[in-house]
Amino acid sequence: MRRKNIAAGNWKMNMDRAGAKALVEGLVQGDFPGEVGMILGVPYVYLADAVSWTAGSGIRVAAQNCHPAESGAYTGEISLPMLKDIGVETVIIGHSERREIFGESNAFLKEKVDAALAHGVQPVFCCGEPLGIRKAGDHAAFVESQLKESIFHLDTAHITKLIIAYEPIWAIGTGETATPEQAEEMHAHIRTLLQSKYGQEASDSISILYGGSVKPGNASDLFARPNVDGGLVGGASLDAESFLKIANAF
Ligand code: PGA
């Protein structure tokens, strides 16, 4: 199965309820190709609303995080059964802000990926290197170890349920985008790793998104690369017009 092109938004800790509603309504009413998957990464407190605002539109609502345990003494955390309970079937796992600010390790992210898949929730698994690693030329090996330690234990039936997002940390929220060549180089590397472990058919079926200062002005150049199957978009996903332009940039 040929992989899907995807425009995924990551709202992070932004928006109020009225703004979220207006943004979702703008997207639901907006035009983008039916074959492009749209995913919105919404703050926890607006998830249930977003599920109802997007009902019947084909737009998927994603949580930005989850806890791997079913339930229990984890003050402040949200479980996968809770997400499922309100109709959320996608979750962003391993965003660099979770890794860097909240200290989430590859091993902990592995638990989250396993728990999400066990509950039938699709992970958008994020990877990507910090600036120092890029400057040292170690980015390919760094991303490879993130994948090996968090998702390469999966079997083919499970890995093919994932969306992978490559987000070089130095390009997130900085206005500095990886060049399409830099993005393609890493995406091709990831695809090759997938192919050698899971075979051609599986590796061809997995969407690999680029994230880091994707904007209407650079999206089509990025998405034109053979292994860049869309974007995980922060700042530019907070405005319906700009996010729709990105969803139309394939
Ligand atoms: P940005 O964020 O588009 O604002 O750089 C991307 C992300 O962190 O997912």
Side-chain angles (χ1 to χ4, degrees), residues 144-166:
E144 185 170 342
S145 64
Q146 289 180 321
L147 300 176
K148 284 196 169 143
E149 289 174 31
S150 298
I151 62 171
F152 275 11
H153 63 289
L154 296 170
D155 62 17
T156 307
H158 286 99
I159 195 107
T160 50
K161 297 215 165 25
L162 265 61
I163 295 169
I164 295 175
Y166 167 60

Short mmCIF file of all heavy atoms in Angstrom, two decimals, residues 144-166:
data_model
loop_
_atom_site.label_atom_id
_atom_site.label_comp_id
_atom_site.label_asym_id
_atom_site.label_seq_id
_atom_site.Cartn_x
_atom_site.Cartn_y
_atom_site.Cartn_z
N GLU A 144 19.05 7.12 14.25
CA GLU A 144 18.99 5.65 14.18
C GLU A 144 18.86 5.04 15.58
O GLU A 144 18.06 4.14 15.81
CB GLU A 144 20.26 5.13 13.48
CG GLU A 144 20.24 3.65 13.25
CD GLU A 144 21.38 3.20 12.33
OE1 GLU A 144 21.97 4.04 11.62
OE2 GLU A 144 21.68 2.00 12.34
N SER A 145 19.60 5.59 16.55
CA SER A 145 19.50 5.01 17.89
C SER A 145 18.15 5.34 18.53
O SER A 145 17.58 4.53 19.26
CB SER A 145 20.68 5.41 18.77
OG SER A 145 20.66 6.78 18.99
N GLN A 146 17.58 6.52 18.22
CA GLN A 146 16.23 6.81 18.74
C GLN A 146 15.23 5.77 18.21
O GLN A 146 14.38 5.27 18.95
CB GLN A 146 15.79 8.21 18.30
CG GLN A 146 16.54 9.33 19.02
CD GLN A 146 16.08 10.70 18.56
OE1 GLN A 146 15.82 10.92 17.37
NE2 GLN A 146 15.98 11.64 19.49
N LEU A 147 15.34 5.46 16.93
CA LEU A 147 14.41 4.49 16.34
C LEU A 147 14.66 3.09 16.92
O LEU A 147 13.72 2.39 17.28
CB LEU A 147 14.57 4.46 14.81
CG LEU A 147 14.32 5.78 14.08
CD1 LEU A 147 14.61 5.63 12.59
CD2 LEU A 147 12.89 6.27 14.27
N LYS A 148 15.92 2.72 17.01
CA LYS A 148 16.25 1.37 17.51
C LYS A 148 15.76 1.18 18.93
O LYS A 148 15.27 0.12 19.29
CB LYS A 148 17.76 1.13 17.45
CG LYS A 148 18.22 0.87 16.03
CD LYS A 148 19.61 0.26 15.99
CE LYS A 148 19.91 -0.23 14.58
NZ LYS A 148 21.29 -0.03 14.17
N GLU A 149 15.90 2.22 19.75
CA GLU A 149 15.57 2.06 21.17
C GLU A 149 14.08 2.22 21.47
O GLU A 149 13.63 1.85 22.54
CB GLU A 149 16.40 3.05 22.00
CG GLU A 149 17.87 2.65 22.02
CD GLU A 149 18.76 3.67 22.71
OE1 GLU A 149 18.30 4.34 23.65
OE2 GLU A 149 19.94 3.79 22.29
N SER A 150 13.33 2.80 20.55
CA SER A 150 11.91 3.04 20.87
C SER A 150 10.92 2.32 19.97
O SER A 150 9.80 2.04 20.39
CB SER A 150 11.58 4.53 20.83
OG SER A 150 12.32 5.24 21.78
N ILE A 151 11.30 2.02 18.72
CA ILE A 151 10.28 1.41 17.83
C ILE A 151 10.75 0.17 17.06
O ILE A 151 9.91 -0.56 16.52
CB ILE A 151 9.67 2.44 16.83
CG1 ILE A 151 10.71 3.02 15.87
CG2 ILE A 151 8.95 3.55 17.58
CD1 ILE A 151 10.08 3.87 14.74
N PHE A 152 12.06 -0.07 16.97
CA PHE A 152 12.49 -1.18 16.12
C PHE A 152 12.32 -2.55 16.76
O PHE A 152 12.66 -3.56 16.17
CB PHE A 152 13.93 -0.96 15.63
CG PHE A 152 14.01 -0.09 14.39
CD1 PHE A 152 12.90 0.62 13.92
CD2 PHE A 152 15.20 0.02 13.67
CE1 PHE A 152 12.97 1.42 12.79
CE2 PHE A 152 15.28 0.82 12.53
CZ PHE A 152 14.17 1.53 12.09
N HIS A 153 11.78 -2.59 17.97
CA HIS A 153 11.42 -3.89 18.57
C HIS A 153 10.07 -4.37 18.03
O HIS A 153 9.69 -5.52 18.23
CB HIS A 153 11.32 -3.74 20.09
CG HIS A 153 10.23 -2.80 20.50
ND1 HIS A 153 10.31 -1.43 20.32
CD2 HIS A 153 8.99 -3.02 21.04
CE1 HIS A 153 9.19 -0.86 20.75
NE2 HIS A 153 8.38 -1.80 21.17
N LEU A 154 9.33 -3.47 17.36
CA LEU A 154 7.98 -3.82 16.90
C LEU A 154 8.06 -4.83 15.75
O LEU A 154 9.04 -4.84 15.00
CB LEU A 154 7.24 -2.56 16.42
CG LEU A 154 6.97 -1.50 17.49
CD1 LEU A 154 6.46 -0.21 16.83
CD2 LEU A 154 5.97 -2.01 18.53
N ASP A 155 7.01 -5.61 15.59
CA ASP A 155 6.94 -6.47 14.41
C ASP A 155 6.34 -5.67 13.25
O ASP A 155 5.90 -4.53 13.43
CB ASP A 155 6.16 -7.77 14.71
CG ASP A 155 4.72 -7.50 15.10
OD1 ASP A 155 4.22 -6.39 14.85
OD2 ASP A 155 4.08 -8.41 15.65
N THR A 156 6.33 -6.27 12.07
CA THR A 156 5.90 -5.55 10.87
C THR A 156 4.45 -5.06 11.00
O THR A 156 4.13 -3.94 10.61
CB THR A 156 6.05 -6.44 9.63
OG1 THR A 156 7.39 -6.93 9.61
CG2 THR A 156 5.77 -5.68 8.35
N ALA A 157 3.60 -5.91 11.55
CA ALA A 157 2.18 -5.54 11.65
C ALA A 157 2.01 -4.29 12.50
O ALA A 157 1.08 -3.50 12.28
CB ALA A 157 1.38 -6.69 12.24
N HIS A 158 2.89 -4.09 13.49
CA HIS A 158 2.76 -2.93 14.37
C HIS A 158 3.51 -1.71 13.85
O HIS A 158 3.00 -0.59 13.90
CB HIS A 158 3.19 -3.29 15.78
CG HIS A 158 2.18 -4.15 16.48
ND1 HIS A 158 2.30 -5.50 16.58
CD2 HIS A 158 1.00 -3.82 17.05
CE1 HIS A 158 1.23 -6.00 17.20
NE2 HIS A 158 0.43 -5.00 17.50
N ILE A 159 4.73 -1.91 13.34
CA ILE A 159 5.49 -0.73 12.89
C ILE A 159 4.74 -0.02 11.75
O ILE A 159 4.79 1.20 11.63
CB ILE A 159 6.93 -1.09 12.45
CG1 ILE A 159 7.79 0.19 12.34
CG2 ILE A 159 6.98 -1.80 11.11
CD1 ILE A 159 8.78 0.37 13.40
N THR A 160 4.01 -0.77 10.95
CA THR A 160 3.31 -0.15 9.82
C THR A 160 2.08 0.65 10.27
O THR A 160 1.47 1.32 9.46
CB THR A 160 2.89 -1.21 8.78
OG1 THR A 160 2.23 -2.28 9.46
CG2 THR A 160 4.09 -1.76 8.04
N LYS A 161 1.76 0.60 11.54
CA LYS A 161 0.67 1.45 12.05
C LYS A 161 1.17 2.84 12.41
O LYS A 161 0.38 3.77 12.65
CB LYS A 161 0.05 0.80 13.29
CG LYS A 161 -0.59 -0.55 12.98
CD LYS A 161 -1.82 -0.75 13.82
CE LYS A 161 -2.74 -1.86 13.38
NZ LYS A 161 -2.20 -2.95 12.61
N LEU A 162 2.50 3.00 12.49
CA LEU A 162 3.06 4.28 12.94
C LEU A 162 3.13 5.31 11.82
O LEU A 162 3.26 4.97 10.65
CB LEU A 162 4.50 4.07 13.45
CG LEU A 162 4.69 3.86 14.95
CD1 LEU A 162 3.97 2.62 15.44
CD2 LEU A 162 6.17 3.76 15.29
N ILE A 163 3.10 6.57 12.24
CA ILE A 163 3.58 7.67 11.41
C ILE A 163 4.88 8.10 12.09
O ILE A 163 4.95 8.17 13.32
CB ILE A 163 2.57 8.84 11.42
CG1 ILE A 163 1.25 8.41 10.75
CG2 ILE A 163 3.16 10.08 10.75
CD1 ILE A 163 0.11 9.40 10.95
N ILE A 164 5.92 8.36 11.31
CA ILE A 164 7.18 8.83 11.88
C ILE A 164 7.35 10.30 11.52
O ILE A 164 7.03 10.71 10.39
CB ILE A 164 8.36 7.98 11.36
CG1 ILE A 164 8.21 6.54 11.86
CG2 ILE A 164 9.71 8.57 11.80
CD1 ILE A 164 9.23 5.56 11.31
N ALA A 165 7.78 11.11 12.47
CA ALA A 165 8.05 12.52 12.19
C ALA A 165 9.51 12.80 12.50
O ALA A 165 9.96 12.58 13.64
CB ALA A 165 7.14 13.42 13.02
N TYR A 166 10.24 13.26 11.50
CA TYR A 166 11.63 13.69 11.72
C TYR A 166 11.62 15.19 11.97
O TYR A 166 11.20 15.97 11.11
CB TYR A 166 12.50 13.36 10.51
CG TYR A 166 13.84 14.06 10.59
CD1 TYR A 166 14.71 13.82 11.66
CD2 TYR A 166 14.24 14.99 9.62
CE1 TYR A 166 15.92 14.48 11.76
CE2 TYR A 166 15.45 15.66 9.72
CZ TYR A 166 16.28 15.40 10.79
OH TYR A 166 17.47 16.07 10.90
#
